[in-house]
Amino acid sequence: MTGFLFLCGFAIGQAKDGTAEFQKMATSQPAALIYLPYSPDVIQEALADYLLKTGDKQQDNAKGYLLSSNTFIVKNNKSGADMTLLIGLKTQDSMNLNESAIYLKLNSFSNDENSTGKAIQFDMQDAKDYLDNLAIAIKPYASDLQLKLQQKNLSDAQDKHASLITEGNKLEEERKKIQVAIGENKSAKKETRLVERKIKNERLIDENLTARLNLSDDITKQIAALALLTN
C-alpha cells in the first residue's frame, strides 16, 4: 500500500467538524476530527510504521505525519503547507486510555518558494475525507498493536486482582487472630494495642475490597473492549 485508500462514492462517515471540541483544548481555530479505538501511543506508532513503509516524498512537509497523493487535501495543497495533526485521548478526564481523538487543523502556512509564510486554510470536507482515509490506512497495524496492548493490560490486571485476593485472605486471617487475641487478653495495656491493630486491619480490609471491586470492573470493561477488537 503506497498511499491511503481513496474512497470514491463511499463514505464511512467517521470524521466530522471538530472545531467546537478543539476549541475546548486549544486555541480557537477550525479543525476536522475523528475518533479511533486505539490509544494515542498506538496511533503514533502506527503512523510511524506507515511512514517507514511508504517512504513517500509527499511526507516531507508533514512534520512526521502522514500525507497521501490519493486524497484531495494533498492534491490541492500546491503550496506544500504543513498539515498539523493533534493526537490525544477522546476525553481528557476519561479513565479509558484506549480511545483517541485525532484533530487535523485547517489553518496553516504556505511553504512554496514564492509565498512562504502565507496563511492558507484547508477545506473542511477534504480534511474529513483525509482523516477517514488515514483511519483505513493505519487500521491493520494499529488494530494488531492495540490487541496486543489490551491483552497485556488484561493479563496484568488479572494478575493484580489475584494478588489482591491473596492479600485479602491474609488480612482476613490476621483479623481472626486479632479477635482471638482480644478474647483471651486480660491486660488493659495490651488491649489498647490490640484495638489499634484491629482498627488498622479493618481499614486495610476495606481498602483491599475497594481495590478488588474497582479492578474487577476494569477487567470487565477490558474484556468487552477486547471482544470488539477480535470480532
Side-chain angles (χ1 to χ4, degrees), residues 22 25 33-34 36 38-48 64-66 84-90 92 99-104 131 134 138:
F22 188 66
M25 57 185 298
L33 164 66
I34 191 169
L36 295 178
Y38 319 120
S39 73
D41 287 343
V42 165
I43 291 176
Q44 292 278 12
E45 188 169 336
L47 289 174
Y65 293 110
L66 299 182
T84 305
L85 297 175
L86 178 64
I87 302 170
L89 290 174
K90 179 178 180 180
Q92 294 302 310
E99 290 185 334
S100 297
I102 303 181
Y103 295 89
L104 172 54
L131 290 180
L134 182 148
I138 69 172

PDB file of all heavy atoms in Angstrom, residues 22 25 33-34 36 38-48 64-66 84-90 92 99-104 131 134 138:
ATOM      1  N   PHE A  22     -12.243  21.070  19.510  1.00  0.00           N
ATOM      2  CA  PHE A  22     -10.854  21.517  19.508  1.00  0.00           C
ATOM      3  C   PHE A  22     -10.687  22.803  20.303  1.00  0.00           C
ATOM      4  O   PHE A  22      -9.672  23.003  20.976  1.00  0.00           O
ATOM      5  CB  PHE A  22     -10.375  21.721  18.062  1.00  0.00           C
ATOM      6  CG  PHE A  22      -8.899  21.987  17.941  1.00  0.00           C
ATOM      7  CD1 PHE A  22      -7.982  21.005  18.271  1.00  0.00           C
ATOM      8  CD2 PHE A  22      -8.428  23.208  17.499  1.00  0.00           C
ATOM      9  CE1 PHE A  22      -6.617  21.230  18.167  1.00  0.00           C
ATOM     10  CE2 PHE A  22      -7.069  23.444  17.383  1.00  0.00           C
ATOM     11  CZ  PHE A  22      -6.165  22.454  17.720  1.00  0.00           C
ATOM     12  N   MET A  25      -9.784  22.591  24.012  1.00  0.00           N
ATOM     13  CA  MET A  25      -8.470  22.145  24.454  1.00  0.00           C
ATOM     14  C   MET A  25      -7.326  22.921  23.827  1.00  0.00           C
ATOM     15  O   MET A  25      -6.171  22.722  24.200  1.00  0.00           O
ATOM     16  CB  MET A  25      -8.290  20.661  24.134  1.00  0.00           C
ATOM     17  CG  MET A  25      -8.468  20.314  22.675  1.00  0.00           C
ATOM     18  SD  MET A  25      -8.396  18.536  22.349  1.00  0.00           S
ATOM     19  CE  MET A  25      -6.744  18.156  22.879  1.00  0.00           C
ATOM     20  N   LEU A  33     -12.083  16.311  12.835  1.00  0.00           N
ATOM     21  CA  LEU A  33     -11.899  15.413  13.984  1.00  0.00           C
ATOM     22  C   LEU A  33     -12.366  14.013  13.642  1.00  0.00           C
ATOM     23  O   LEU A  33     -13.376  13.821  12.970  1.00  0.00           O
ATOM     24  CB  LEU A  33     -12.702  15.949  15.180  1.00  0.00           C
ATOM     25  CG  LEU A  33     -12.977  15.010  16.354  1.00  0.00           C
ATOM     26  CD1 LEU A  33     -11.676  14.642  17.066  1.00  0.00           C
ATOM     27  CD2 LEU A  33     -13.956  15.653  17.325  1.00  0.00           C
ATOM     28  N   ILE A  34     -11.619  13.029  14.130  1.00  0.00           N
ATOM     29  CA  ILE A  34     -12.051  11.638  14.029  1.00  0.00           C
ATOM     30  C   ILE A  34     -11.691  10.921  15.324  1.00  0.00           C
ATOM     31  O   ILE A  34     -10.647  11.200  15.924  1.00  0.00           O
ATOM     32  CB  ILE A  34     -11.395  10.932  12.818  1.00  0.00           C
ATOM     33  CG1 ILE A  34     -12.069   9.577  12.566  1.00  0.00           C
ATOM     34  CG2 ILE A  34      -9.895  10.752  13.005  1.00  0.00           C
ATOM     35  CD1 ILE A  34     -11.670   8.943  11.230  1.00  0.00           C
ATOM     36  N   LEU A  36     -10.865   7.268  17.136  1.00  0.00           N
ATOM     37  CA  LEU A  36     -10.402   5.928  16.790  1.00  0.00           C
ATOM     38  C   LEU A  36     -10.256   5.090  18.058  1.00  0.00           C
ATOM     39  O   LEU A  36      -9.872   5.611  19.111  1.00  0.00           O
ATOM     40  CB  LEU A  36      -9.067   5.995  16.053  1.00  0.00           C
ATOM     41  CG  LEU A  36      -9.087   6.676  14.677  1.00  0.00           C
ATOM     42  CD1 LEU A  36      -7.682   6.718  14.080  1.00  0.00           C
ATOM     43  CD2 LEU A  36     -10.041   5.967  13.726  1.00  0.00           C
ATOM     44  N   TYR A  38      -8.118   3.301  19.476  1.00  0.00           N
ATOM     45  CA  TYR A  38      -6.734   2.962  19.809  1.00  0.00           C
ATOM     46  C   TYR A  38      -6.203   3.991  20.798  1.00  0.00           C
ATOM     47  O   TYR A  38      -6.664   5.125  20.839  1.00  0.00           O
ATOM     48  CB  TYR A  38      -5.835   2.968  18.563  1.00  0.00           C
ATOM     49  CG  TYR A  38      -6.420   2.363  17.325  1.00  0.00           C
ATOM     50  CD1 TYR A  38      -6.575   3.117  16.162  1.00  0.00           C
ATOM     51  CD2 TYR A  38      -6.824   1.030  17.297  1.00  0.00           C
ATOM     52  CE1 TYR A  38      -7.113   2.569  15.010  1.00  0.00           C
ATOM     53  CE2 TYR A  38      -7.363   0.471  16.150  1.00  0.00           C
ATOM     54  CZ  TYR A  38      -7.508   1.248  15.008  1.00  0.00           C
ATOM     55  OH  TYR A  38      -8.048   0.697  13.872  1.00  0.00           O
ATOM     56  N   SER A  39      -5.191   3.609  21.559  1.00  0.00           N
ATOM     57  CA  SER A  39      -4.549   4.559  22.455  1.00  0.00           C
ATOM     58  C   SER A  39      -3.723   5.546  21.633  1.00  0.00           C
ATOM     59  O   SER A  39      -3.304   5.230  20.511  1.00  0.00           O
ATOM     60  CB  SER A  39      -3.639   3.831  23.452  1.00  0.00           C
ATOM     61  OG  SER A  39      -2.468   3.378  22.790  1.00  0.00           O
ATOM     62  N   PRO A  40      -3.470   6.747  22.151  1.00  0.00           N
ATOM     63  CA  PRO A  40      -2.633   7.715  21.426  1.00  0.00           C
ATOM     64  C   PRO A  40      -1.268   7.152  21.043  1.00  0.00           C
ATOM     65  O   PRO A  40      -0.779   7.398  19.935  1.00  0.00           O
ATOM     66  CB  PRO A  40      -2.509   8.872  22.421  1.00  0.00           C
ATOM     67  CG  PRO A  40      -3.777   8.817  23.221  1.00  0.00           C
ATOM     68  CD  PRO A  40      -4.046   7.346  23.380  1.00  0.00           C
ATOM     69  N   ASP A  41      -0.658   6.375  21.934  1.00  0.00           N
ATOM     70  CA  ASP A  41       0.654   5.792  21.642  1.00  0.00           C
ATOM     71  C   ASP A  41       0.589   4.810  20.478  1.00  0.00           C
ATOM     72  O   ASP A  41       1.507   4.745  19.649  1.00  0.00           O
ATOM     73  CB  ASP A  41       1.218   5.088  22.881  1.00  0.00           C
ATOM     74  CG  ASP A  41       1.683   6.062  23.951  1.00  0.00           C
ATOM     75  OD1 ASP A  41       1.870   7.253  23.628  1.00  0.00           O
ATOM     76  OD2 ASP A  41       1.854   5.631  25.105  1.00  0.00           O
ATOM     77  N   VAL A  42      -0.496   4.032  20.423  1.00  0.00           N
ATOM     78  CA  VAL A  42      -0.667   3.086  19.326  1.00  0.00           C
ATOM     79  C   VAL A  42      -0.805   3.830  18.004  1.00  0.00           C
ATOM     80  O   VAL A  42      -0.215   3.431  16.985  1.00  0.00           O
ATOM     81  CB  VAL A  42      -1.894   2.178  19.572  1.00  0.00           C
ATOM     82  CG1 VAL A  42      -2.303   1.457  18.287  1.00  0.00           C
ATOM     83  CG2 VAL A  42      -1.593   1.157  20.662  1.00  0.00           C
ATOM     84  N   ILE A  43      -1.561   4.906  18.010  1.00  0.00           N
ATOM     85  CA  ILE A  43      -1.737   5.690  16.784  1.00  0.00           C
ATOM     86  C   ILE A  43      -0.412   6.274  16.326  1.00  0.00           C
ATOM     87  O   ILE A  43      -0.063   6.228  15.140  1.00  0.00           O
ATOM     88  CB  ILE A  43      -2.778   6.800  16.997  1.00  0.00           C
ATOM     89  CG1 ILE A  43      -4.170   6.184  17.172  1.00  0.00           C
ATOM     90  CG2 ILE A  43      -2.784   7.783  15.819  1.00  0.00           C
ATOM     91  CD1 ILE A  43      -5.254   7.173  17.477  1.00  0.00           C
ATOM     92  N   GLN A  44       0.353   6.811  17.261  1.00  0.00           N
ATOM     93  CA  GLN A  44       1.660   7.378  16.914  1.00  0.00           C
ATOM     94  C   GLN A  44       2.558   6.310  16.282  1.00  0.00           C
ATOM     95  O   GLN A  44       3.236   6.557  15.279  1.00  0.00           O
ATOM     96  CB  GLN A  44       2.332   7.936  18.171  1.00  0.00           C
ATOM     97  CG  GLN A  44       1.645   9.161  18.768  1.00  0.00           C
ATOM     98  CD  GLN A  44       2.023  10.459  18.079  1.00  0.00           C
ATOM     99  OE1 GLN A  44       2.628  10.455  17.018  1.00  0.00           O
ATOM    100  NE2 GLN A  44       1.679  11.569  18.687  1.00  0.00           N
ATOM    101  N   GLU A  45       2.562   5.128  16.867  1.00  0.00           N
ATOM    102  CA  GLU A  45       3.423   4.053  16.344  1.00  0.00           C
ATOM    103  C   GLU A  45       2.922   3.569  14.993  1.00  0.00           C
ATOM    104  O   GLU A  45       3.721   3.253  14.101  1.00  0.00           O
ATOM    105  CB  GLU A  45       3.482   2.899  17.342  1.00  0.00           C
ATOM    106  CG  GLU A  45       4.504   1.844  16.954  1.00  0.00           C
ATOM    107  CD  GLU A  45       4.776   0.835  18.058  1.00  0.00           C
ATOM    108  OE1 GLU A  45       4.544   1.171  19.236  1.00  0.00           O
ATOM    109  OE2 GLU A  45       5.229  -0.282  17.734  1.00  0.00           O
ATOM    110  N   ALA A  46       1.595   3.503  14.818  1.00  0.00           N
ATOM    111  CA  ALA A  46       1.034   3.070  13.538  1.00  0.00           C
ATOM    112  C   ALA A  46       1.355   4.080  12.438  1.00  0.00           C
ATOM    113  O   ALA A  46       1.653   3.700  11.299  1.00  0.00           O
ATOM    114  CB  ALA A  46      -0.476   2.894  13.663  1.00  0.00           C
ATOM    115  N   LEU A  47       1.308   5.360  12.768  1.00  0.00           N
ATOM    116  CA  LEU A  47       1.671   6.398  11.805  1.00  0.00           C
ATOM    117  C   LEU A  47       3.139   6.275  11.417  1.00  0.00           C
ATOM    118  O   LEU A  47       3.497   6.384  10.239  1.00  0.00           O
ATOM    119  CB  LEU A  47       1.404   7.782  12.400  1.00  0.00           C
ATOM    120  CG  LEU A  47      -0.058   8.192  12.568  1.00  0.00           C
ATOM    121  CD1 LEU A  47      -0.153   9.522  13.311  1.00  0.00           C
ATOM    122  CD2 LEU A  47      -0.762   8.291  11.229  1.00  0.00           C
ATOM    123  N   ALA A  48       3.991   6.054  12.403  1.00  0.00           N
ATOM    124  CA  ALA A  48       5.421   5.916  12.144  1.00  0.00           C
ATOM    125  C   ALA A  48       5.693   4.693  11.273  1.00  0.00           C
ATOM    126  O   ALA A  48       6.522   4.735  10.366  1.00  0.00           O
ATOM    127  CB  ALA A  48       6.190   5.818  13.459  1.00  0.00           C
ATOM    128  N   GLY A  64       6.446  14.719  10.100  1.00  0.00           N
ATOM    129  CA  GLY A  64       6.447  13.370  10.648  1.00  0.00           C
ATOM    130  C   GLY A  64       5.127  12.656  10.574  1.00  0.00           C
ATOM    131  O   GLY A  64       5.009  11.523  11.001  1.00  0.00           O
ATOM    132  N   TYR A  65       4.103  13.303  10.034  1.00  0.00           N
ATOM    133  CA  TYR A  65       2.798  12.649   9.942  1.00  0.00           C
ATOM    134  C   TYR A  65       2.521  12.228   8.500  1.00  0.00           C
ATOM    135  O   TYR A  65       3.289  12.494   7.592  1.00  0.00           O
ATOM    136  CB  TYR A  65       1.695  13.577  10.456  1.00  0.00           C
ATOM    137  CG  TYR A  65       1.797  13.836  11.923  1.00  0.00           C
ATOM    138  CD1 TYR A  65       2.164  15.081  12.400  1.00  0.00           C
ATOM    139  CD2 TYR A  65       1.555  12.826  12.846  1.00  0.00           C
ATOM    140  CE1 TYR A  65       2.277  15.324  13.757  1.00  0.00           C
ATOM    141  CE2 TYR A  65       1.668  13.053  14.199  1.00  0.00           C
ATOM    142  CZ  TYR A  65       2.023  14.304  14.649  1.00  0.00           C
ATOM    143  OH  TYR A  65       2.129  14.531  15.991  1.00  0.00           O
ATOM    144  N   LEU A  66       1.370  11.609   8.295  1.00  0.00           N
ATOM    145  CA  LEU A  66       1.055  11.037   7.000  1.00  0.00           C
ATOM    146  C   LEU A  66       0.498  12.027   6.004  1.00  0.00           C
ATOM    147  O   LEU A  66      -0.326  12.871   6.328  1.00  0.00           O
ATOM    148  CB  LEU A  66       0.012   9.928   7.179  1.00  0.00           C
ATOM    149  CG  LEU A  66       0.423   8.755   8.044  1.00  0.00           C
ATOM    150  CD1 LEU A  66      -0.697   7.740   8.073  1.00  0.00           C
ATOM    151  CD2 LEU A  66       1.677   8.122   7.525  1.00  0.00           C
ATOM    152  N   THR A  84      -0.992  19.796  10.211  1.00  0.00           N
ATOM    153  CA  THR A  84      -0.714  19.559  11.624  1.00  0.00           C
ATOM    154  C   THR A  84      -1.804  18.705  12.263  1.00  0.00           C
ATOM    155  O   THR A  84      -2.977  19.070  12.262  1.00  0.00           O
ATOM    156  CB  THR A  84      -0.611  20.891  12.389  1.00  0.00           C
ATOM    157  OG1 THR A  84       0.370  21.711  11.758  1.00  0.00           O
ATOM    158  CG2 THR A  84      -0.202  20.642  13.841  1.00  0.00           C
ATOM    159  N   LEU A  85      -1.389  17.563  12.800  1.00  0.00           N
ATOM    160  CA  LEU A  85      -2.297  16.659  13.495  1.00  0.00           C
ATOM    161  C   LEU A  85      -2.047  16.748  14.995  1.00  0.00           C
ATOM    162  O   LEU A  85      -0.907  16.803  15.443  1.00  0.00           O
ATOM    163  CB  LEU A  85      -2.080  15.217  13.050  1.00  0.00           C
ATOM    164  CG  LEU A  85      -2.367  14.890  11.579  1.00  0.00           C
ATOM    165  CD1 LEU A  85      -1.984  13.446  11.296  1.00  0.00           C
ATOM    166  CD2 LEU A  85      -3.825  15.124  11.248  1.00  0.00           C
ATOM    167  N   LEU A  86      -3.134  16.741  15.758  1.00  0.00           N
ATOM    168  CA  LEU A  86      -3.045  16.691  17.213  1.00  0.00           C
ATOM    169  C   LEU A  86      -3.721  15.405  17.667  1.00  0.00           C
ATOM    170  O   LEU A  86      -4.890  15.173  17.360  1.00  0.00           O
ATOM    171  CB  LEU A  86      -3.732  17.905  17.845  1.00  0.00           C
ATOM    172  CG  LEU A  86      -3.756  17.946  19.372  1.00  0.00           C
ATOM    173  CD1 LEU A  86      -2.331  18.038  19.920  1.00  0.00           C
ATOM    174  CD2 LEU A  86      -4.600  19.101  19.874  1.00  0.00           C
ATOM    175  N   ILE A  87      -2.976  14.561  18.373  1.00  0.00           N
ATOM    176  CA  ILE A  87      -3.482  13.261  18.808  1.00  0.00           C
ATOM    177  C   ILE A  87      -3.556  13.225  20.331  1.00  0.00           C
ATOM    178  O   ILE A  87      -2.584  13.524  21.019  1.00  0.00           O
ATOM    179  CB  ILE A  87      -2.573  12.124  18.313  1.00  0.00           C
ATOM    180  CG1 ILE A  87      -2.462  12.169  16.790  1.00  0.00           C
ATOM    181  CG2 ILE A  87      -3.095  10.765  18.772  1.00  0.00           C
ATOM    182  CD1 ILE A  87      -1.400  11.250  16.237  1.00  0.00           C
ATOM    183  N   GLY A  88      -4.712  12.876  20.861  1.00  0.00           N
ATOM    184  CA  GLY A  88      -4.875  12.798  22.312  1.00  0.00           C
ATOM    185  C   GLY A  88      -6.019  11.874  22.675  1.00  0.00           C
ATOM    186  O   GLY A  88      -6.621  11.225  21.805  1.00  0.00           O
ATOM    187  N   LEU A  89      -6.317  11.776  23.955  1.00  0.00           N
ATOM    188  CA  LEU A  89      -7.429  10.938  24.404  1.00  0.00           C
ATOM    189  C   LEU A  89      -8.758  11.523  23.935  1.00  0.00           C
ATOM    190  O   LEU A  89      -8.904  12.741  23.803  1.00  0.00           O
ATOM    191  CB  LEU A  89      -7.432  10.836  25.927  1.00  0.00           C
ATOM    192  CG  LEU A  89      -6.292  10.029  26.556  1.00  0.00           C
ATOM    193  CD1 LEU A  89      -6.349  10.142  28.072  1.00  0.00           C
ATOM    194  CD2 LEU A  89      -6.363   8.561  26.140  1.00  0.00           C
ATOM    195  N   LYS A  90      -9.717  10.648  23.686  1.00  0.00           N
ATOM    196  CA  LYS A  90     -11.037  11.098  23.252  1.00  0.00           C
ATOM    197  C   LYS A  90     -11.642  12.043  24.277  1.00  0.00           C
ATOM    198  O   LYS A  90     -12.201  13.087  23.941  1.00  0.00           O
ATOM    199  CB  LYS A  90     -11.958   9.888  23.042  1.00  0.00           C
ATOM    200  CG  LYS A  90     -13.369  10.258  22.613  1.00  0.00           C
ATOM    201  CD  LYS A  90     -14.213   9.023  22.373  1.00  0.00           C
ATOM    202  CE  LYS A  90     -15.629   9.399  21.949  1.00  0.00           C
ATOM    203  NZ  LYS A  90     -16.470   8.195  21.703  1.00  0.00           N
ATOM    204  N   GLN A  92     -10.379  13.912  27.806  1.00  0.00           N
ATOM    205  CA  GLN A  92      -9.156  14.156  28.567  1.00  0.00           C
ATOM    206  C   GLN A  92      -9.217  13.632  29.992  1.00  0.00           C
ATOM    207  O   GLN A  92      -8.220  13.206  30.550  1.00  0.00           O
ATOM    208  CB  GLN A  92      -8.847  15.663  28.574  1.00  0.00           C
ATOM    209  CG  GLN A  92      -8.495  16.214  27.206  1.00  0.00           C
ATOM    210  CD  GLN A  92      -7.298  15.514  26.577  1.00  0.00           C
ATOM    211  OE1 GLN A  92      -6.251  15.370  27.200  1.00  0.00           O
ATOM    212  NE2 GLN A  92      -7.445  15.074  25.339  1.00  0.00           N
ATOM    213  N   GLU A  99      -9.140   5.016  23.655  1.00  0.00           N
ATOM    214  CA  GLU A  99      -9.916   5.750  22.661  1.00  0.00           C
ATOM    215  C   GLU A  99      -9.247   7.102  22.444  1.00  0.00           C
ATOM    216  O   GLU A  99      -8.998   7.824  23.410  1.00  0.00           O
ATOM    217  CB  GLU A  99     -11.362   5.944  23.109  1.00  0.00           C
ATOM    218  CG  GLU A  99     -12.183   4.669  23.114  1.00  0.00           C
ATOM    219  CD  GLU A  99     -13.639   4.906  23.452  1.00  0.00           C
ATOM    220  OE1 GLU A  99     -13.936   5.909  24.141  1.00  0.00           O
ATOM    221  OE2 GLU A  99     -14.474   4.110  23.028  1.00  0.00           O
ATOM    222  N   SER A 100      -8.982   7.417  21.195  1.00  0.00           N
ATOM    223  CA  SER A 100      -8.248   8.644  20.887  1.00  0.00           C
ATOM    224  C   SER A 100      -9.031   9.562  19.965  1.00  0.00           C
ATOM    225  O   SER A 100      -9.940   9.128  19.247  1.00  0.00           O
ATOM    226  CB  SER A 100      -6.898   8.311  20.232  1.00  0.00           C
ATOM    227  OG  SER A 100      -6.077   7.594  21.113  1.00  0.00           O
ATOM    228  N   ALA A 101      -8.648  10.817  19.993  1.00  0.00           N
ATOM    229  CA  ALA A 101      -9.175  11.820  19.069  1.00  0.00           C
ATOM    230  C   ALA A 101      -8.009  12.333  18.233  1.00  0.00           C
ATOM    231  O   ALA A 101      -6.937  12.614  18.764  1.00  0.00           O
ATOM    232  CB  ALA A 101      -9.817  12.970  19.839  1.00  0.00           C
ATOM    233  N   ILE A 102      -8.209  12.412  16.921  1.00  0.00           N
ATOM    234  CA  ILE A 102      -7.203  12.990  16.031  1.00  0.00           C
ATOM    235  C   ILE A 102      -7.798  14.240  15.393  1.00  0.00           C
ATOM    236  O   ILE A 102      -8.837  14.179  14.738  1.00  0.00           O
ATOM    237  CB  ILE A 102      -6.778  12.016  14.925  1.00  0.00           C
ATOM    238  CG1 ILE A 102      -6.245  10.720  15.519  1.00  0.00           C
ATOM    239  CG2 ILE A 102      -5.723  12.657  14.031  1.00  0.00           C
ATOM    240  CD1 ILE A 102      -5.794   9.724  14.462  1.00  0.00           C
ATOM    241  N   TYR A 103      -7.161  15.367  15.621  1.00  0.00           N
ATOM    242  CA  TYR A 103      -7.575  16.626  15.026  1.00  0.00           C
ATOM    243  C   TYR A 103      -6.631  16.992  13.889  1.00  0.00           C
ATOM    244  O   TYR A 103      -5.412  16.885  14.024  1.00  0.00           O
ATOM    245  CB  TYR A 103      -7.540  17.755  16.062  1.00  0.00           C
ATOM    246  CG  TYR A 103      -8.524  17.616  17.194  1.00  0.00           C
ATOM    247  CD1 TYR A 103      -8.177  16.917  18.353  1.00  0.00           C
ATOM    248  CD2 TYR A 103      -9.798  18.177  17.117  1.00  0.00           C
ATOM    249  CE1 TYR A 103      -9.076  16.787  19.402  1.00  0.00           C
ATOM    250  CE2 TYR A 103     -10.701  18.054  18.168  1.00  0.00           C
ATOM    251  CZ  TYR A 103     -10.330  17.367  19.304  1.00  0.00           C
ATOM    252  OH  TYR A 103     -11.216  17.234  20.341  1.00  0.00           O
ATOM    253  N   LEU A 104      -7.177  17.432  12.771  1.00  0.00           N
ATOM    254  CA  LEU A 104      -6.391  17.987  11.683  1.00  0.00           C
ATOM    255  C   LEU A 104      -6.748  19.468  11.592  1.00  0.00           C
ATOM    256  O   LEU A 104      -7.865  19.833  11.218  1.00  0.00           O
ATOM    257  CB  LEU A 104      -6.709  17.274  10.365  1.00  0.00           C
ATOM    258  CG  LEU A 104      -6.098  17.869   9.096  1.00  0.00           C
ATOM    259  CD1 LEU A 104      -4.582  18.029   9.227  1.00  0.00           C
ATOM    260  CD2 LEU A 104      -6.441  17.021   7.883  1.00  0.00           C
ATOM    261  N   LEU A 131      -8.964  12.281   7.014  1.00  0.00           N
ATOM    262  CA  LEU A 131      -8.945  11.534   8.278  1.00  0.00           C
ATOM    263  C   LEU A 131      -9.615  10.173   8.123  1.00  0.00           C
ATOM    264  O   LEU A 131      -9.176   9.178   8.712  1.00  0.00           O
ATOM    265  CB  LEU A 131      -9.619  12.346   9.382  1.00  0.00           C
ATOM    266  CG  LEU A 131      -8.862  13.583   9.871  1.00  0.00           C
ATOM    267  CD1 LEU A 131      -9.654  14.300  10.963  1.00  0.00           C
ATOM    268  CD2 LEU A 131      -7.482  13.214  10.390  1.00  0.00           C
ATOM    269  N   LEU A 134      -7.067   8.091   6.510  1.00  0.00           N
ATOM    270  CA  LEU A 134      -6.000   7.803   7.468  1.00  0.00           C
ATOM    271  C   LEU A 134      -6.396   6.629   8.365  1.00  0.00           C
ATOM    272  O   LEU A 134      -5.597   5.738   8.638  1.00  0.00           O
ATOM    273  CB  LEU A 134      -5.715   9.050   8.315  1.00  0.00           C
ATOM    274  CG  LEU A 134      -4.592   8.948   9.352  1.00  0.00           C
ATOM    275  CD1 LEU A 134      -3.911  10.297   9.525  1.00  0.00           C
ATOM    276  CD2 LEU A 134      -5.132   8.482  10.705  1.00  0.00           C
ATOM    277  N   ILE A 138      -4.111   3.026   8.607  1.00  0.00           N
ATOM    278  CA  ILE A 138      -3.377   2.532   9.770  1.00  0.00           C
ATOM    279  C   ILE A 138      -4.103   1.389  10.481  1.00  0.00           C
ATOM    280  O   ILE A 138      -3.540   0.794  11.409  1.00  0.00           O
ATOM    281  CB  ILE A 138      -3.097   3.660  10.788  1.00  0.00           C
ATOM    282  CG1 ILE A 138      -4.404   4.132  11.450  1.00  0.00           C
ATOM    283  CG2 ILE A 138      -2.345   4.805  10.146  1.00  0.00           C
ATOM    284  CD1 ILE A 138      -4.184   5.102  12.602  1.00  0.00           C
TER     285      ILE A 138
END
